[in-house]
Amino acid sequence: MTQKNVSKYTDEERFAFAESIEKKLKSFALRSIDVYKSLPSNDFVAQHTGKQLVRSSTSSAVNYRAVRRARSQNEFYSKISIVIEELDESIYWLEMFTDLHYFTIEKLSKLVADGNEILAILAKSRKNINKN
């Protein structure tokens, strides 16, 4: 007899958790777009790295929607790994903006902290998956 995975959370709790993560990722993406918009438009490096930030932050948000539709644990694991990778890349670009002196650390610290918080939550979710 195979043992069925039993969650200690109700369907409603899992839904509410997923909704909150999706909202956090969307907010992170929108705030990242605002960072891009405030970069100098005539600076190639600023525009190039800014577009990378927009791409990775929006990708993490939209790919989380795919996570929520995963048909199996293996598919969930694969898709959440993509979200984690894209979110980590977004945080990297934000750090680059301070290294390149486009923004002070203080200006981006809340956004970076929020990204790291979401990243930790998603990494823990991925770790808790019982892969077959």
Side-chain angles (χ1 to χ4, degrees):
M1 182 191 302
T2 61
Q3 184 179 12
K4 196 170 185 165
N5 243 357
V6 179
S7 175
K8 63 181 177 179
Y9 301 104
T10 66
D11 288 343
E12 292 81 18
E13 289 170 325
R14 286 194 304 276
F15 179 80
F17 171 79
E19 283 288 306
S20 72
I21 296 299
E22 189 168 332
K23 285 179 184 173
K24 287 175 191 263
L25 283 166
K26 186 175 186 181
S27 172
F28 181 86
L30 290 169
R31 290 163 55 206
S32 294
I33 291 168
D34 286 341
V35 168
Y36 168 69
K37 287 178 177 179
S38 66
L39 289 166
S41 60
N42 61 347
D43 184 322
F44 173 81
V45 173
Q47 289 299 300
H48 176 73
T49 54
K51 288 175 184 173
Q52 292 292 96
L53 171 65
V54 170
R55 186 202 55 76
S56 61
S57 64
T58 56
S59 177
S60 65
V62 76
N63 276 300
Y64 188 74
R65 292 173 64 107
V67 168
R68 296 187 66 188
R69 292 187 306 276
R71 295 166 291 195
S72 68
Q73 284 186 340
N74 287 340
E75 188 175 2
F76 179 91
Y77 187 91
S78 175
K79 290 182 182 301
I80 203 165
S81 294
I82 293 167
V83 174
I84 290 168
E85 183 178 327
E86 294 292 338
L87 183 56
D88 187 52
E89 180 181 333
S90 299
I91 295 165
Y92 172 83
W93 291 121
L94 290 168
E95 292 168 350
M96 284 291 288
F97 291 140
T98 60
D99 293 343
L100 292 167
H101 307 290
Y102 291 118
F103 298 99
T104 64
I105 292 172
E106 295 77 26
K107 176 81 172 165
L108 297 180
S109 64
K110 177 74 173 122
L111 186 56
V112 170
D114 290 349
N116 280 318
E117 177 187 338
I118 302 165
L119 190 60
I121 292 167
L122 294 175
K124 185 167 184 164
S125 293
R126 180 176 65 178
K127 184 179 178 185
N128 289 335
I129 295 171
N130 181 17
K131 291 226 1 149
N132 295 331

